Each structure stands twice: as structure tokens, then as C-alpha cells.
DNA sequence: TTCTAAGATATGAATATTCATATATATGAA
DNA sequence: TTCATATATATGAATATTCATATCTTAGAA
């Protein structure tokens, strides 16, 4: 019964297994941006950023709005940013811990 | 300069892309368990649970403690559970939203 | 030392992901 | 309609992931 939830949860998490997509999410932290702005700021080919954005959109991590020729992307739910930030904290805590350990060893 | 952090962050997130591993994490929510207990409760072959636990351990999501022939696994950092719970909330909110939409359509 | 139970690791087939490249579609201006 | 810009999609090669199976290692008991 929970199986289905675990599967959906795992599916969403696949969104976060690409450094590029994490960068895109971070670029959208302070508000919406167009595909071109994102491509430029993340140093990615337009086709690839579009592919990543499709993955983000299909998993409801971002929503879109068209204005003329431009499409604006933004984070769908602030909790997504919170979750990402928590994981980053875990990562940074571990890095700090390992660094401290290395110091004590030397 | 952030590139490296994004890569490490993405790497950790790969841990959460398996429904089985999410189930293991949930089984460890209330404290440590042995490999056998986990295999039984998650309905997985011993070899596979061990493979998943290795992934979890290598990414510092769990820590281990040996007691005789048994090895006990537990969650390394409570923030990991918090992050998982946040993502699950996002998922459940979206599901509820879609359900409501379907109701209104009918 | 031998046996047994707990856990870890190696292997390979099936499957999925990522990127570069090419091509298609959509919008507004001329 | 034609053109230019913005965005999306299709394709395939390289790479990575997952599971079942077989094999190893470790710890304690006999």
C-alpha cells in the first residue's frame, strides 16, 4: 500500500540527481526566469536546458507561464527548496566534520 | 565553484531514487535495525538489501554498529528524515490537488 | 577446527539516464 | 507570408543503475 508512495517519491527524487537541474533550481530560488536566461546562467545548450526543464515540469517541481515568445519557469512549491536546502546542510555538515577529522589527524 | 557542491548534492540524491531504499530509510525512522530485520520487513533478498545498505552507508545516510554476528544500521542525521518528509509532503499535496481537480471536473 | 548464521561482494543482463546533434514548433515583427 | 528568435522534441551513443544469482567473509557455537 505504501509501495506506490515510495515509487512516486523515488521518481520525484530522480529530478534531483542531476547537478545541472540542481543549479537550475537554485537559479530559480529568487523568482521566475526564461529558458534563455537559465541556459546562459547555467552555461548549458538551449536544447539541454529545455530537456532538464521538461523533467522538472513533468515532476511538478516547476510551473511555467508563457509571455509572448518567452516561457517563464518558477519553483512550484517552496517546500522543494526547503528540502534541497536541508540536504545541502547535511552534505556541508559532513564535509566540515571530515575536514575537522583530517585536521586532528595531521 | 559551486559546481562541486551541485555534483556532491546530486550524488547524495541518487540514494533516494530507489523505492526500496526509501522504504529502508522509513523502517529506520524509529531506531536501528539489523540487516535481517530490514530484509524481512522490506521483503527483499539479503544480498539486495545489503547492496542498498552499502549505497546508504557510502553516502553517509546511515551509520553502522556491529554486535556479534549482527550489524545494526541507523539514520546518520535526522535532517535526512526531515528532507524526505518534506518531499513526501510536496508529493501528497500535489496528489490531493489533482484529486480535487478531478472531483470538480466530474 | 568445523559448522552455521549474518552479512558483504562480484557478475552480468535488462533497463534507464545524459549529452550533443539535428530538427520541429510557436510567437511576433516586417 | 516570410523571417528571426525562443522554446521543444527526436535520436542515438556512452554511461550508470537495479536485480537475481553465485560466492565470499566474519563471528560465535560445538
Amino acid at each position: 500500500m505504501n509501495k506506490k508512495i515510495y515509487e512516486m517519491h523515488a521518481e520525484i527524487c530522480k529530478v534531483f540527481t542531476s547537478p545541472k537541474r540542481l543549479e537550475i533550481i537554485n537559479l530559480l530560488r529568487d523568482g521566475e526566469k526564461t529558458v534563455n536566461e537559465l541556459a546562459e546562467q547555467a552555461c548549458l545548450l538551449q536544447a539541454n536546458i529545455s530537456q532538464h526543464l521538461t523533467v522538472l515540469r513533468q515532476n511538478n517541481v516547476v510551473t511555467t507561464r508563457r509571455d509572448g515568445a518567452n516561457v517563464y519557469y518558477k519553483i512550484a512549491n517552496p517546500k522543494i527548496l526547503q528540502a534541497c536546502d536541508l540536504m545541502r546542510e547535511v552534505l556541508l555538515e559532513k564535509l566540515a566534520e571530515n575536514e575537522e577529522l583530517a585536521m586532528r589527524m595531521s
Side-chain angles (χ1 to χ4, degrees), chain A residues 18-35:
Chain A
S18 151
K20 315 285 188 183
R21 285 196 290 269
L22 290 174
E23 186 171 4
I24 293 169
I25 289 169
N26 204 39
L27 286 170
L28 293 176
R29 180 177 294 272
D30 299 319
E32 60 181 14
K33 287 202 164 86
T34 66
V35 177

Side-chain angles (χ1 to χ4, degrees), chain A residues 22 26 29 83-93:
Chain A
L22 290 174
N26 204 39
R29 180 177 294 272
C84 277
D85 289 348
L86 267 173
M87 279 314 303
R88 178 141 49 175
E89 279 176 40
V90 169
L91 171 60
L92 294 176
E93 279 175 24

Side-chain angles (χ1 to χ4, degrees), chain A residues 27 34-46 49:
Chain A
L27 286 170
T34 66
V35 177
N36 255 340
E37 288 172 337
L38 289 169
E40 204 174 312
Q41 292 170 28
C43 292
L44 271 176
L45 294 179
Q46 181 275 319
I49 198 110

Side-chain angles (χ1 to χ4, degrees), chain A residues 1-25:
Chain A
M1 47 195 89
N2 276 335
K3 293 278 180 202
K4 199 72 198 168
I5 296 284
Y6 290 130
E7 279 168 26
M8 286 188 292
H9 189 162
E11 206 57 38
I12 286 187
C13 285
K14 286 187 188 168
V15 167
F16 308 108
T17 60
S18 151
K20 315 285 188 183
R21 285 196 290 269
L22 290 174
E23 186 171 4
I24 293 169
I25 289 169

Side-chain angles (χ1 to χ4, degrees), chain A residues 11 20 24 30 43 47 55 65 68 74 80 92 100 102-103 106:
Chain A
E11 206 57 38
K20 315 285 188 183
I24 293 169
D30 299 319
C43 292
V55 173
R65 160 178 91 79
K74 71 168 179 185
I80 291 163
L92 294 176
E100 199 190 327
M103 291 289 259
S106 63

Side-chain angles (χ1 to χ4, degrees), chain A residues 53-71:
Chain A
L53 288 170
T54 298
V55 173
L56 288 162
R57 182 163 26 82
Q58 284 173 342
N59 287 279
N60 301 302
V61 169
V62 298
T63 57
T64 63
R65 160 178 91 79
R66 180 179 274 279
D67 180 16
N70 295 309
V71 177

